[in-house]
């Protein structure tokens, strides 16, 4: 198995934060793929696990034996505390000048990471975000209703908030660390609304945002955590941002 050890020498340039909850079947694959697609990058992977009862943390500890505890960091929390606070927790332990946030369920394929890094280097962007809603982007594995719900949520947000990015609800992004620290400190949302607020706040602060087309793939293993309560929360968050930004 590739460990990417030579590229990992010295201080990491990129800190990749991966929140997990019941991702025992996915976490080893996502870690392997990150190492595979970033053979020459200096990076660390920070797993923020919210007390998964399925043994996710045991798998991460085994991965540490393969790749090293300096490359795969386990920063666990006692219970589910929300997606936004998971990023804040991971950021506290990050060493890189750039921070990548991505999901552990394989919906965000690590093969896109080189494109994120290249786009940032070429443009000097403060944020590079993956988008499903431009040419060469898309979604795989969703039924028609979920596609319509996602597209409708984005169109509604675009119309009301004019955020300067085509995909507000995606959570596959690269940030300059200083920018993430600034933007995240002004966000109050939790859960899935957090991603939307991050981009809207960044736009209002004048940060430079670039996009990379990605294909979002519905999770292969495990159960989706998106439910009716998240949809209601999204609508409430939309109203909140409309009134406060």
């Amino acid at each position: 198995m590739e460990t990417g050890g030579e590229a990992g020498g010295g201080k990491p340039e990129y800190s990749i934060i991966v929140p997990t909850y019941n991702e025992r079947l996915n976490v080893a694959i996502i870690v392997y793929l990150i190492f595979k697609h970033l053979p020459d990058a200096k990076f660390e992977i920070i797993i923020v696990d919210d007390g998964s009862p399925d043994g996710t943390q045991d798998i991460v500890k085994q991965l540490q034996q393969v790749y090293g505890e300096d490359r795969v960091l386990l920063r666990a929390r006692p219970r589910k505390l929300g997606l936004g606070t998971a990023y804040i927790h991971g950021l506290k332990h990050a060493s890189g000048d750039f921070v990548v946030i991505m999901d552990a369920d394989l919906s965000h394929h690590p093969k896109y990471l080189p494109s994120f890094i290249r786009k940032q280097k070429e443009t000097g962007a403060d944020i590079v975000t993956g988008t499903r809603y431009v040419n060469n982007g898309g979604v795989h594995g969703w039924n028609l209703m979920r596609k319509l719900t996602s597209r409708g949520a984005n169109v509604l947000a675009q119309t009301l908030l004019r955020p300067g990015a085509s995909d507000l609800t995606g959570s596959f992004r690269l940030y300059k660390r200083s920018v993430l620290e600034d933007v995240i400190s002004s966000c109050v949302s939790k859960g899935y609304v957090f991603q939307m607020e991050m981009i809207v706040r960044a736009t209002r602060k004048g940060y430079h945002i670039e996009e990379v087309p990605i294909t979002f793939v519905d999770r292969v293993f495990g159960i989706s955590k998106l439910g009716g309560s998240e949809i209601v929360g999204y609508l409430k968050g939309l109203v909140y941002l409309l009134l406060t930004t």
Side-chain angles (χ1 to χ4, degrees):
M1 183 176 289
E2 302 170 49
T3 63
E6 292 184 6
K11 177 181 177 294
E13 186 176 5
Y14 300 94
S15 296
I16 304 172
I17 300 175
V18 184
T20 58
Y21 184 76
N22 286 349
E23 297 290 357
R24 178 178 62 86
L25 297 175
N26 293 318
V27 69
I29 302 173
I30 198 76
V31 168
Y32 166 74
L33 289 172
I34 291 171
F35 276 93
K36 177 182 178 180
H37 289 284
L38 293 179
D40 301 318
K42 293 184 177 181
F43 66 89
E44 61 186 1
I45 304 172
I46 303 172
I47 307 292
V48 180
D49 185 73
D50 277 2
S52 296
D54 72 338
T56 296
Q57 292 185 31
D58 294 332
I59 300 298
V60 175
K61 290 173 183 176
Q62 293 179 41
L63 292 169
Q64 290 178 315
Q65 298 301 311
V66 176
Y67 296 104
E69 294 184 11
D70 60 329
R71 307 297 305 282
V72 178
L73 289 66
L74 175 60
R75 297 296 181 261
R77 303 193 296 177
R79 62 187 185 281
K80 291 187 73 173
L81 296 169
L83 193 59
T85 59
Y87 294 134
I88 294 171
H89 184 73
L91 186 57
K92 292 177 181 176
H93 301 281
S95 302
D97 294 325
F98 297 90
V99 177
V100 174
I101 60 174
M102 63 187 301
D103 293 345
D105 62 5
L106 305 178
S107 58
H108 299 153
H109 200 294
K111 69 182 180 181
Y112 295 111
L113 288 172
S115 298
F116 279 58
I117 292 171
R118 183 165 55 251
K119 175 69 75 170
Q120 195 286 320
K121 289 183 180 296
E122 290 173 351
T123 65
D126 299 307
I127 303 170
V128 178
T129 182
T131 177
R132 298 161 285 185
Y133 301 124
V134 297
N135 287 339
N136 299 319
V139 175
H140 180 75
W142 281 6
N143 60 32
L144 179 60
M145 181 56 67
R146 191 169 179 188
K147 287 181 179 179
L148 290 174
T149 300
S150 176
R151 175 68 79 171
N154 261 283
V155 169
L156 184 61
Q158 293 285 341
T159 302
L160 296 178
L161 301 176
R162 302 192 180 280
S166 64
D167 192 342
L168 283 182
T169 56
S171 56
F172 194 2
R173 296 173 184 164
L174 180 152
Y175 293 85
K176 288 182 179 177
R177 182 196 177 111
S178 59
V179 172
L180 179 57
E181 289 173 335
D182 178 37
V183 174
I184 208 169
S185 66
S186 62
C187 290
V188 300
S189 303
K190 295 182 180 180
Y192 293 90
V193 179
F194 176 80
Q195 305 296 352
M196 177 171 64
E197 183 174 6
M198 287 286 286
I199 285 294
V200 173
R201 298 284 182 196
T203 300
R204 300 297 187 266
K205 289 174 177 283
Y207 286 121
H208 177 188
I209 302 171
E210 290 284 344
E211 296 184 320
V212 169
I214 64 168
T215 297
F216 179 98
V217 180
D218 200 17
R219 64 164 51 245
V220 178
F221 301 114
I223 300 172
S224 175
K225 302 170 184 70
L226 178 63
S229 61
E230 282 77 16
I231 294 173
V232 172
Y234 175 86
L235 295 174
K236 289 180 178 178
L238 191 63
V239 173
Y240 169 77
L241 292 175
L242 181 62
L243 297 175
T244 62
T245 62

